[in-house]
Amino acid sequence: MYRLSVTLGQFLVFVVFFAIWELLVDLLHIRPVILPAPTAIAEKIWENRALLLKESWPTFAAISLGFIAAVVSGFLLAVGIAYSRIVRDLTYPFLIAAQILPKIAFAPLFLIWFGFGLTPKIVIAALIAFFPIVINTAKGLTSVDKELLQYMDSLGSSGWEKFTKISLPWALPYIFAALKISITLAIVGAVVGEFVAAGEGLGYVINSSNITLNTELMFAAIVTMSVLGILMYLAIVLLERYMLPQGQLEDSGHSTM
Amino acid sequence: MYRLSVTLGQFLVFVVFFAIWELLVDLLHIRPVILPAPTAIAEKIWENRALLLKESWPTFAAISLGFIAAVVSGFLLAVGIAYSRIVRDLTYPFLIAAQILPKIAFAPLFLIWFGFGLTPKIVIAALIAFFPIVINTAKGLTSVDKELLQYMDSLGSSGWEKFTKISLPWALPYIFAALKISITLAIVGAVVGEFVAAGEGLGYVINSSNITLNTELMFAAIVTMSVLGILMYLAIVLLERYMLPQGQLEDSGHSTM
Amino acid sequence: DTVSIRLDWAYGSEHAPIFLAIKKGFFADEGIEVKLMPGEGSSVTAKLVGNRDADFGYATADQILIAAQRGLPLLTTAVILQQNATALIFPKDKPIKDLKKDLAGKTVGVQLKSTTKLQWDKVKGDQKLDATTFKEVPADLAIVPLLSAGRIDAGIGYFFNDGLKARAAGMDVDWILFEDLGVKIYSTALFTNSEFAQKNPDLVRRFTRAFVKGWIYAKAHEPEALAAFIEANPETDKVYAKMKLPEVLRLTESEDVSKTTMGHSTPEGWNSLQETLLQMGVLPQKIDVGTIYTNDYLK
Amino acid sequence: MGKAPRITIEDLSLAFRTGTGPFVALDRVSFDIAPGSFVSVVGPSGCGKSTLLKLLSGVYSPTSGRILFDGKPVEKERLQGQVGYVFQRALLLPWRTALQNVMLTMEVARRSMTRAQREAEALKWLEIAGLKGFEHRFPHELSGGMQQRVSICRALAFRPQILLMDEPFGALDEITRETLQNELLQLWQQTETTVVFITHSIPEAVILSEQIVVMSARPGRVVERINVPFPRPRVDSVREHPDFVEMAGHIRSLLHPRAHAIAAE
Amino acid sequence: MGKAPRITIEDLSLAFRTGTGPFVALDRVSFDIAPGSFVSVVGPSGCGKSTLLKLLSGVYSPTSGRILFDGKPVEKERLQGQVGYVFQRALLLPWRTALQNVMLTMEVARRSMTRAQREAEALKWLEIAGLKGFEHRFPHELSGGMQQRVSICRALAFRPQILLMDEPFGALDEITRETLQNELLQLWQQTETTVVFITHSIPEAVILSEQIVVMSARPGRVVERINVPFPRPRVDSVREHPDFVEMAGHIRSLLHPRAHAIAAE
Ligand SMILES: Nc1ncnc2c1ncn2[C@@H]1O[C@H](COP(=O)(O)OP(=O)(O)OP(=O)(O)O)[C@@H](O)[C@H]1O
Ligand SMILES: Nc1ncnc2c1ncn2[C@@H]1O[C@H](COP(=O)(O)OP(=O)(O)OP(=O)(O)O)[C@@H](O)[C@H]1O
Ligand SMILES: [Mg+2]
Ligand SMILES: [Mg+2]
């Protein structure tokens, strides 16, 4: 019952949003270069469906590879930070510096350093998506109940066991929060990468249609991009539902009938 | 003792990093337009110190205002999400969609929608920095020990008291993790904003020196940018030390002598 | 042989002759397979070719000169667009006839991401405009929407990009060419890495020949060029593309070219460009322009 | 401070939603608690004692049945400042020191007190509980029994009208336990406080209370309600009194068969 | 399974770092534990009992002094699979069910067992503890006593050579407590297990153990070590035996003055 009305509610908000948009464009005679109407965008999407689908693939590849690279490396670094004070103290300043560097400013240089095609896109996506993984995972790993670890110590368990049986499950909610943030950042990264360093992909379509002031096509590509992104985000949500047992999901807790 | 050697270690890593960079540039005869040597950059910073200092102000303003806007609005939304299932269910899809939209692609349109100067920069910075605040804060607020809240209920305490005395302090570590992620994103946002929508600020210096192939100046501005960012990041770390009592700081815990 | 070439920006009908050359097999005739890539501004293209990440580039001459002065080994083999396309664009209902008077109180959009802003600075100096009487705002990639939204009263951009796009979008705009304000400089040119040229003189010659041939042929067969471009870029705005191509082709003309051949350039032309850049303040010192261009590969 | 209300528990049931379907924790429990009385609840582990206390404090809402305070249904607003609750777990705020944890309840339930009054009151109770010198320790720096004592102080310090105590003295040594029992009885006698007290110690229940509610498990039901007639103060020697021994034996026998049945089930 | 080691505690001290400077929790504690013996530790709350157990299990390292197992210093590797520990808190993994929590120790400490064996063993212990039907509940769906029982099962299920139990039965009703006491004694008699048992109940200590270590607080010191000579099995009636009463009284008197001093300090 509740689920159904929520879905309806979400749908309604969507419809109202687009209706207002359409009306505003119509009533205020806003030119398509400034803001195209939703119907015009929809039309453009339908017209260019083959193109948009085709261009989605390289973008998808860049996002997923960049994301995976960020997750793997970020996770490993977080483990280092959580378990070794030296690693933490020696990497933190550089980590932060690296995160603060406006990577977008480097994008043209990336082109020169990493060549064309997939590589620079993946690098940018990974670089942008990396930081939240490190911060959140390290936080999760260090917030473990100390007595639980002591209990494992009393069993003479190995560090590896403590890690897999206690710390990792404990940190999972933190990690999933990070994954959700990072996937969206990987998307931004891949798009930026495609702005500067690619002749294909949705980012390229967005950029080139922006330059040629083909605003409808730009919006069409942005919409496709968003749909792609939402699908990837949902994949993570599903993974979370699957991996986090009942005891750890947000909406669990004491429940009376 | 340990602190001292860490500082030395960090310093050493820095020195080695720059030494290798300098050497590589020198040995491989890399042209300054492609990658200037650290010494050349340092020289450029010194030469242009007045300019860089002056241009730091608008950037600083954009970052801080955008960050504050993101924190305030993100926090409020997170509270709504944590306490109202309807708010959560109705905002989540849009939140995610908004996060996934390549806001950078919109940057030129922001000019049209928000005018020139500070506003579009703040908007972009806030939009990019917003998401981690919402996700992490909501996570923190919903992860509170249910029995603690029940205890407060038994006292007949108001929702506001439960919030300020239990949920908020409980969520603080999550919130600070988010602040650290977000400040760096606000920096990226402000720079992107300055790339497209400003005639001043470090982002503008980076962009315009990139066009005139004055790569040294571009790096000089990037370095200044990073220093600015690191200072702001450190401000948050200090705030964290000050606000999180001993019981909640990362390195607390059972400690024997 | 496979030769890569990076253009200045995303594909537009200003690149139609290149698509035509590929389609007609001019490159194939020379035994060359072309790897065509869009660009992200002339400055990036210049850097990439200087770094040997692309064999050829198609970018504005000012950026080539700046990059060469900054030590990148670049060699221009054909100056295709002989005239400066930069213009002050404004709606007809807020006309600007006399720069000195009509700009007062207006907001001018400038593009920081291109040297057009610097050219505008030179114009301001040359024409002794009082910059305090009007307002300049950044407007990268958004001249037309901003004009359309009334956020700016005039914008600096390429007339064949921003100007024609505005018209294609149904706005009634006019423009003053910088060429007519005394900024006579070469525009877009074909260039390569000089080290690459030294090692492969024959390949460079063949490539340049095929490239220029495309432009000559396009000038004579404009509809065919347009068709080739649209075929390769079906999602393009066809009205705008059709409007733009003849204007671009017209820019290939000059007194010099009419006497010699398409793509030809002169020491005077390059020196005048260098002079302008010096005045604009983007070039710290002079270089010998003879080292950065040659007409040798035009046969 | 007003008078404690008469508490009427009518046909109270509560079922939990679990992975394997609903689980009935309390099944039609009914009894009265007179104002100012001292009621102990005993029963096997898992029979629903804590659940009953959570219902009384308004933390849970019943699946059916109701709880009346002076004939009126409980409302959260009316509960404010009336109920002191010692949870089974110490349940301290990890970011507050012992002292600050004790002050928490007063902040919430006794707004009229000044900060200084709160602190004085908290310090007094910490001292009674033998925690002098540990006021500024964080919970993780205290032993298990000490944490439990802080939790008891927290509930006693604000002098509630109704005191719900879930095995408060379980983790304490005999001496500390006796000290706190005495303090509790004194507080109860001096004020009009109603105490509902869960314990696993039958002697403790008999020594402290006026009435003992004996519960059985699966589903949680009231088996018998026993009045404890011994005069006060009840000294340690009452333990040897034949009536005392008999009553303890009776309660034990009430608990026995059921409990064994569970263990063997 | 090998024989339990002889445990030698030599001059063991431990100080905690606190906000207000170092705090001595244990002060030069020395005693021996013979292989296969049952030792109870009693003492006022906060006297360092839990700390002692954490030192024995290798969780803490002493500030000075040492612990020898068969004459050799303890090492983490050698402890593996030897020590079962029931913490004072239930300390279950919130994301594992009761069954999975019990299986945790076997996964770590008894690698040779198959999954099925582990499960069978875990189920057996859960049944003994009266938790049949609750195997697939998550900790937050169990009552306090049930959680504690899961924690006890977890320690017993893998049949360690040394069993450290920190007030294991504190939160249990008499019947469940007796059942588990009997199970524990049986396990102890059948195998060569050494048990170190913390309790606040003097009768419990006397009934269960061969030796009782009485501790005092601030700083934590050993006051006396008492041998318990009563023959086994010790039935409930032993409580009435005059020797028993006398011993209990003696222990109480050892704890009394100190404890009162603390409360008044
Ligand atoms: N992590 C810690 N930091 C500082 N002090 C501590 C810490 N852990 C324990 N203490 C102190 O050490 C002393 C002994 O603690 P311990 O937990 O061993 O007591 P205990 O005998 O088990 O008491 P209880 O019966 O209450 O559980 C206490 O005074 C306690 O405050
Ligand atoms: N949140 C919950 N979800 C599902 N079942 C629950 C929940 N809380 C308690 N129960 C079940 O309800 C029953 C009663 O629990 P309760 O905590 O009231 O027992 P109790 O009498 O306090 O036991 P103990 O003496 O062990 O503390 C138990 O069987 C328990 O498993
Ligand atoms: Mg209970
Ligand atoms: Mg203890």
Side-chain angles (χ1 to χ4, degrees):
Chain A
M1 231 356 261
Y2 177 77
R3 282 262 37 109
L4 189 73
S5 51
V6 159
T7 312
L8 270 178
Q10 291 174 342
F11 186 72
L12 211 76
V13 176
F14 254 116
V15 169
V16 169
F17 176 73
F18 284 115
I20 292 179
W21 178 353
E22 184 86 30
L23 266 178
L24 276 184
V25 168
D26 213 46
L27 292 179
L28 303 180
H29 301 291
I30 297 175
R31 273 180 234 272
V33 257
I34 295 181
L35 184 66
T39 47
I41 297 171
E43 213 172 281
K44 205 78 181 180
I45 293 177
W46 182 246
E47 258 173 39
N48 292 282
R49 59 191 181 281
L51 172 83
L52 291 172
L53 206 65
K54 194 189 96 214
E55 300 292 357
S56 295
W57 278 112
T59 308
F60 174 74
I63 296 171
S64 18
L65 293 176
F67 178 65
I68 290 170
V71 171
V72 171
S73 54
F75 181 80
L76 291 179
L77 184 57
V79 171
I81 286 173
Y83 287 99
S84 155
R85 199 165 156 189
I86 300 208
V87 170
R88 185 178 70 206
D89 287 340
L90 287 191
T91 58
Y92 243 68
F94 302 95
L95 190 62
I96 296 157
Q99 169 64 7
I100 285 164
L101 283 182
K103 283 164 283 291
I104 293 162
F106 284 109
L109 292 176
F110 280 10
L111 211 79
I112 295 166
W113 298 341
F114 302 110
F116 309 96
L118 214 52
T119 322
K121 295 201 272 180
I122 294 174
V123 171
I124 297 179
L127 277 177
I128 296 188
F130 178 69
F131 194 65
I133 303 275
V134 180
I135 290 277
N136 262 29
T137 307
K139 185 102 226 157
L141 289 175
T142 50
S143 72
V144 183
D145 186 330
K146 300 286 175 297
E147 274 202 305
L148 266 180
L149 295 177
Q150 292 179 355
Y151 175 73
M152 293 300 279
D153 277 337
S154 81
L155 291 173
S157 87
S158 65
W160 175 247
E161 274 169 338
K162 281 195 283 185
F163 181 71
T164 53
K165 291 190 191 287
I166 311 284
S167 304
L168 193 58
W170 188 282
L172 271 187
Y174 288 82
I175 294 176
F176 273 104
L179 291 184
K180 289 183 197 165
I181 296 168
S182 283
I183 186 73
T184 67
L185 292 179
I187 293 167
V188 172
V191 171
V192 171
E194 287 183 341
F195 278 12
V196 290
E200 54 173 13
L202 291 171
Y204 169 68
V205 175
I206 293 172
N207 195 36
S208 61
S209 51
N210 188 21
I211 290 167
T212 57
L213 294 172
N214 191 344
T215 318
E216 290 103 324
L217 183 60
M218 176 179 138
F219 271 87
I222 287 176
V223 170
T224 313
M225 188 76 235
S226 306
V227 171
L228 180 66
I230 288 170
L231 289 180
M232 298 182 79
Y233 188 93
L234 285 182
I236 290 177
V237 171
L238 283 183
L239 191 71
E240 182 180 24
R241 297 242 148 234
Y242 174 78
M243 282 186 60
L244 283 195
Q246 206 186 328
Q248 271 177 307
L249 277 175
E250 243 161 65
D251 36 7
S252 85
H254 298 262
S255 52
T256 59
M257 282 187 76
Chain B
M1 232 355 264
Y2 178 77
R3 281 257 44 103
L4 189 72
S5 50
V6 160
T7 312
L8 272 178
Q10 291 173 341
F11 186 72
L12 211 75
V13 176
F14 253 115
V15 169
V16 169
F17 175 73
F18 285 115
I20 291 178
W21 178 351
E22 184 87 31
L23 266 177
L24 276 184
V25 168
D26 213 45
L27 291 179
L28 303 181
H29 301 291
I30 299 177
R31 294 196 177 75
V33 240
I34 309 287
L35 183 66
T39 46
I41 297 171
E43 214 172 279
K44 206 76 180 183
I45 293 176
W46 183 245
E47 260 173 39
N48 292 282
R49 59 190 181 280
L51 172 82
L52 293 172
L53 207 64
K54 194 188 98 214
E55 299 292 357
S56 296
W57 279 113
T59 308
F60 174 74
I63 297 171
S64 19
L65 293 176
F67 178 65
I68 290 169
V71 170
V72 172
S73 54
F75 180 80
L76 291 179
L77 183 57
V79 171
I81 286 174
Y83 287 99
S84 156
R85 199 166 154 188
I86 300 208
V87 170
R88 186 180 69 205
D89 287 339
L90 286 191
T91 57
Y92 244 67
F94 302 95
L95 190 62
I96 296 157
Q99 170 64 5
I100 285 164
L101 285 182
K103 284 162 283 290
I104 294 161
F106 284 109
L109 293 177
F110 281 9
L111 274 182
I112 299 160
W113 299 339
F114 304 108
F116 310 96
L118 212 51
T119 324
K121 293 201 273 179
I122 295 175
V123 171
I124 298 179
L127 277 177
I128 297 188
F130 177 69
F131 193 65
I133 303 275
V134 179
I135 290 277
N136 262 28
T137 307
K139 185 102 228 157
L141 289 175
T142 50
S143 72
V144 183
D145 186 331
K146 300 288 175 300
E147 275 202 304
L148 265 180
L149 295 178
Q150 293 179 354
Y151 177 73
M152 294 300 280
D153 277 336
S154 81
L155 292 173
S157 87
S158 65
W160 175 248
E161 273 169 339
K162 280 195 284 185
F163 181 70
T164 53
K165 291 188 191 288
I166 310 285
S167 304
L168 193 58
W170 188 281
L172 272 188
Y174 287 83
I175 294 176
F176 272 104
L179 292 184
K180 288 182 198 166
I181 296 168
S182 283
I183 187 73
T184 66
L185 292 179
I187 293 167
V188 171
V191 171
V192 171
E194 288 183 340
F195 276 13
V196 289
E200 53 173 13
L202 291 172
Y204 166 68
V205 175
I206 293 172
N207 197 31
S208 60
S209 52
N210 189 20
I211 290 156
T212 55
L213 295 178
N214 193 342
T215 317
E216 291 101 324
L217 183 59
M218 177 180 140
F219 270 87
I222 287 176
V223 170
T224 313
M225 188 76 234
S226 306
V227 171
L228 181 65
I230 288 170
L231 290 180
M232 297 182 80
Y233 187 92
L234 284 182
I236 290 176
V237 171
L238 283 183
L239 192 70
E240 181 180 24
R241 296 243 148 234
Y242 174 76
M243 282 186 61
L244 285 195
Q246 208 185 324
Q248 269 175 310
L249 277 175
E250 243 161 66
D251 38 6
S252 85
H254 299 262
S255 52
T256 58
M257 285 187 75
Chain C
D1 300 292
T2 305
V3 176
S4 61
I5 173 167
R6 187 156 279 254
L7 302 186
D8 48 353
W9 279 111
Y11 303 140
S13 63
E14 67 264 42
H15 305 126
I18 305 167
F19 285 93
L20 182 69
I22 294 171
K23 191 179 172 217
K24 299 285 292 181
F26 294 164
F27 289 105
D29 292 348
E30 302 281 359
I32 294 170
E33 197 193 321
V34 180
K35 189 167 165 243
L36 189 64
M37 295 175 293
E40 170 64 15
S42 290
S43 64
V44 177
T45 305
K47 264 194 257 183
L48 288 171
V49 174
N51 203 36
R52 285 285 282 110
D53 283 310
D55 302 325
F56 275 87
Y58 182 66
T60 51
D62 49 4
Q63 288 294 354
I64 299 170
L65 205 137
I66 293 170
Q69 194 276 327
R70 303 270 314 169
L72 291 179
L74 301 183
L75 183 68
T76 310
T77 61
V79 178
I80 302 297
L81 301 191
Q82 298 268 329
Q83 300 174 33
N84 187 358
T86 312
L88 177 71
I89 304 159
F90 48 84
K92 272 199 181 131
D93 52 9
K94 290 189 218 160
I96 296 172
K97 293 199 184 76
D98 182 340
L99 279 181
K100 275 210 171 70
K101 270 191 284 162
D102 294 342
L103 272 179
K106 292 203 158 122
T107 303
V108 182
V110 296
Q111 306 201 42
L112 302 169
K113 264 195 164 181
S114 85
T115 48
T116 56
K117 158 83 164 70
L118 301 166
Q119 294 185 35
W120 171 240
D121 288 341
K122 176 171 156 55
V123 167
K124 281 189 290 185
D126 289 353
Q127 307 284 323
K128 303 201 171 49
L129 302 183
D130 180 0
T132 57
T133 60
F134 55 91
K135 200 172 133 203
E136 278 177 26
V137 294
D140 284 274
L141 299 180
I143 296 289
V144 178
L146 285 170
L147 277 174
S148 165
R151 287 257 183 202
I152 56 176
D153 307 304
I156 314 291
Y158 283 5
F159 78 88
F160 67 73
N161 279 336
D162 302 299
L164 290 178
K165 181 70 205 186
R167 283 191 184 162
M171 291 173 62
D172 206 4
V173 299
D174 211 345
W175 51 78
I176 304 174
L177 287 172
F178 280 23
E179 185 92 10
D180 301 335
L181 294 171
V183 191
K184 288 197 201 310
I185 54 173
Y186 288 143
S187 187
T188 324
L190 177 70
F191 66 103
T192 185
N193 186 297
S194 50
E195 287 156 7
F196 175 75
Q198 232 158 38
K199 280 192 209 117
N200 311 287
D202 183 54
L203 183 57
V204 171
R205 182 179 314 278
R206 282 184 285 139
F207 186 89
T208 308
R209 192 158 55 208
F211 191 87
V212 173
K213 191 172 168 194
W215 282 89
I216 296 171
Y217 188 88
K219 199 136 192 303
H221 307 85
E222 193 192 305
E224 220 177 304
L226 186 66
F229 173 69
I230 290 175
E231 191 190 315
N233 300 278
E235 73 276 23
T236 194
D237 180 341
K238 290 164 191 78
V239 180
Y240 169 49
K242 187 160 187 285
M243 245 162 132
K244 180 153 76 171
L245 183 56
E247 297 289 346
V248 172
L249 289 174
R250 205 172 45 73
L251 292 178
T252 62
E253 294 165 7
S254 72
E255 228 175 290
D256 170 36
V257 165
S258 64
K259 280 188 254 153
T260 54
T261 169
M262 172 85 81
H264 194 269
S265 58
T266 63
E268 295 78 45
W270 282 100
N271 273 321
S272 131
L273 174 63
Q274 170 149 277
E275 250 345 285
T276 310
L277 292 179
L278 283 168
Q279 285 171 25
M280 278 157 47
V282 285
L283 212 55
Q285 65 227 24
K286 269 193 177 169
I287 56 165
D288 176 8
V289 295
T291 61
I292 63 157
Y293 84 96
T294 174
N295 291 318
D296 294 353
Y297 296 115
L298 294 168
K299 189 137 40 200
Chain D
M1 213 170 3
K3 227 172 121 290
R6 160 173 299 276
I7 303 173
T8 316
I9 299 169
E10 280 184 10
D11 251 352
L12 205 61
S13 295
L14 185 121
F16 287 104
R17 221 174 301 166
T18 71
T20 51
F23 177 86
V24 179
L26 280 185
D27 188 27
R28 278 166 290 136
V29 168
S30 301
F31 60 97
D32 265 30
I33 302 172
S37 66
F38 196 121
V39 179
S40 286
V41 181
V42 298
S45 164
C47 72
K49 303 181 295 297
S50 300
T51 305
L52 179 64
L53 243 52
K54 284 192 178 170
L55 281 162
L56 278 175
S57 68
V59 162
Y60 285 167
S61 310
T63 309
S64 69
R66 54 186 191 155
I67 299 171
L68 304 173
F69 277 29
D70 282 338
K72 275 168 276 176
V74 203
E75 275 158 35
K76 198 169 158 193
E77 293 67 43
R78 297 207 305 115
L79 278 177
Q80 164 134 29
Q82 288 198 32
V83 178
Y85 196 156
V86 182
F87 272 62
Q88 199 166 357
R89 289 199 291 144
L91 213 58
L92 305 176
L93 305 189
W95 57 87
R96 287 188 172 221
T97 61
L99 177 65
Q100 289 166 344
N101 263 292
V102 175
M103 286 168 67
L104 172 72
T105 40
M106 289 184 271
E107 288 166 22
V108 174
R110 284 276 172 280
R111 306 265 172 89
S112 55
M113 288 171 89
T114 64
R115 227 196 105 79
Q117 283 175 320
R118 278 184 204 139
E119 192 163 320
E121 190 69 21
L123 286 172
K124 191 191 95 188
W125 281 102
L126 285 171
E127 183 165 354
I128 289 174
L131 287 171
K132 201 175 165 140
F134 295 91
E135 300 89 351
H136 302 295
R137 291 279 190 92
F138 287 99
H140 76 262
E141 298 174 331
L142 297 172
S143 79
M146 288 168 149
Q147 290 177 11
Q148 188 61 20
R149 281 183 270 162
V150 172
S151 162
I152 294 166
C153 291
R154 182 173 67 173
L156 296 180
F158 79 103
R159 298 174 180 278
Q161 289 168 20
I162 302 170
L163 201 43
L164 308 174
M165 305 183 87
D166 198 345
E167 299 184 38
F169 305 143
L172 303 181
D173 59 290
E174 278 185 23
I175 313 305
T176 315
R177 177 188 278 240
E178 268 167 34
T179 313
L180 288 174
Q181 281 174 353
N182 288 335
E183 287 297 330
L184 175 62
L185 283 178
Q186 215 169 309
L187 187 83
W188 171 68
Q189 276 157 345
Q190 282 166 8
T191 61
E192 267 289 285
T193 314
T194 305
V195 181
V196 185
F197 190 90
I198 295 180
T199 181
H200 283 307
S201 162
I202 296 172
E204 184 175 58
V206 178
I207 286 210
L208 291 178
S209 38
E210 296 186 306
Q211 197 176 96
I212 298 175
V213 176
V214 184
M215 291 183 66
S216 72
R218 302 191 79 176
R221 287 205 180 120
V222 174
V223 181
E224 198 170 312
R225 298 171 52 205
I226 297 164
N227 283 314
V228 187
F230 309 116
R232 294 183 189 267
R234 297 174 189 161
V235 281
D236 236 15
S237 57
V238 90
R239 284 174 195 263
E240 270 108 68
H241 193 285
D243 289 358
F244 180 100
V245 174
E246 198 212 288
M247 183 174 286
H250 174 59
I251 296 174
R252 208 162 276 132
S253 75
L254 284 173
L255 293 172
H256 243 270
R258 271 254 128 211
H260 271 161
I262 287 177
E265 221 172 7
Chain E
M1 213 170 4
K3 229 173 119 288
R6 160 172 299 274
I7 303 172
T8 315
I9 299 168
E10 279 184 10
D11 249 355
L12 205 62
S13 296
L14 186 123
F16 287 104
R17 220 174 302 165
T18 71
T20 50
F23 177 85
V24 179
L26 279 186
D27 189 26
R28 278 165 289 137
V29 168
S30 300
F31 61 96
D32 265 29
I33 302 171
S37 65
F38 196 123
V39 179
S40 286
V41 182
V42 299
S45 166
C47 72
K49 303 181 294 297
S50 300
T51 306
L52 179 64
L53 242 53
K54 285 192 178 170
L55 281 161
L56 279 175
S57 68
V59 163
Y60 286 166
S61 309
T63 310
S64 69
R66 53 185 191 158
I67 298 171
L68 304 173
F69 277 30
D70 282 337
K72 274 166 279 176
V74 204
E75 274 158 35
K76 198 169 158 193
E77 293 65 44
R78 297 207 306 114
L79 279 177
Q80 163 133 30
Q82 289 198 31
V83 178
Y85 196 157
V86 182
F87 272 61
Q88 197 165 358
R89 287 199 292 145
L91 214 58
L92 305 176
L93 304 189
W95 56 87
R96 287 188 172 219
T97 61
L99 177 65
Q100 290 166 344
N101 263 293
V102 175
M103 285 167 68
L104 172 72
T105 41
M106 289 184 272
E107 288 166 22
V108 175
R110 284 277 172 277
R111 305 263 174 91
S112 54
M113 288 170 90
T114 65
R115 229 197 104 79
Q117 284 175 320
R118 279 183 202 139
E119 192 163 319
E121 191 70 21
L123 286 172
K124 192 191 93 188
W125 280 101
L126 284 171
E127 184 165 352
I128 289 173
L131 288 171
K132 201 176 163 136
F134 295 90
E135 300 89 351
H136 301 297
R137 293 279 190 94
F138 286 99
H140 76 264
E141 298 173 330
L142 297 173
S143 79
M146 287 168 152
Q147 290 176 9
Q148 189 61 21
R149 282 183 269 161
V150 173
S151 161
I152 295 167
C153 290
R154 182 172 69 172
L156 296 181
F158 80 104
R159 301 176 179 277
Q161 289 168 21
I162 303 170
L163 201 44
L164 308 175
M165 305 183 87
D166 198 344
E167 300 185 37
F169 305 143
L172 303 181
D173 59 291
E174 277 185 25
I175 313 305
T176 315
R177 178 188 276 241
E178 268 167 34
T179 312
L180 288 175
Q181 281 174 353
N182 287 335
E183 286 297 329
L184 176 62
L185 283 179
Q186 216 167 309
L187 187 82
W188 171 67
Q189 275 157 347
Q190 281 165 9
T191 61
E192 269 289 284
T193 313
T194 305
V195 181
V196 184
F197 189 93
I198 296 181
T199 181
H200 282 307
S201 162
I202 297 170
E204 185 175 58
V206 178
I207 286 210
L208 291 178
S209 37
E210 298 186 305
Q211 194 174 96
I212 298 174
V213 176
V214 184
M215 290 183 65
S216 71
R218 303 190 80 178
R221 286 205 180 119
V222 175
V223 181
E224 197 171 312
R225 297 171 52 204
I226 298 165
N227 283 313
V228 187
F230 309 115
R232 297 185 188 265
R234 297 172 189 164
V235 283
D236 236 17
S237 57
V238 89
R239 285 175 194 264
E240 270 109 67
H241 193 284
D243 289 357
F244 181 99
V245 174
E246 198 213 288
M247 184 175 286
H250 175 60
I251 296 175
R252 207 163 276 131
S253 75
L254 283 173
L255 294 171
H256 243 271
R258 271 258 126 209
H260 271 163
I262 286 175
E265 220 173 5

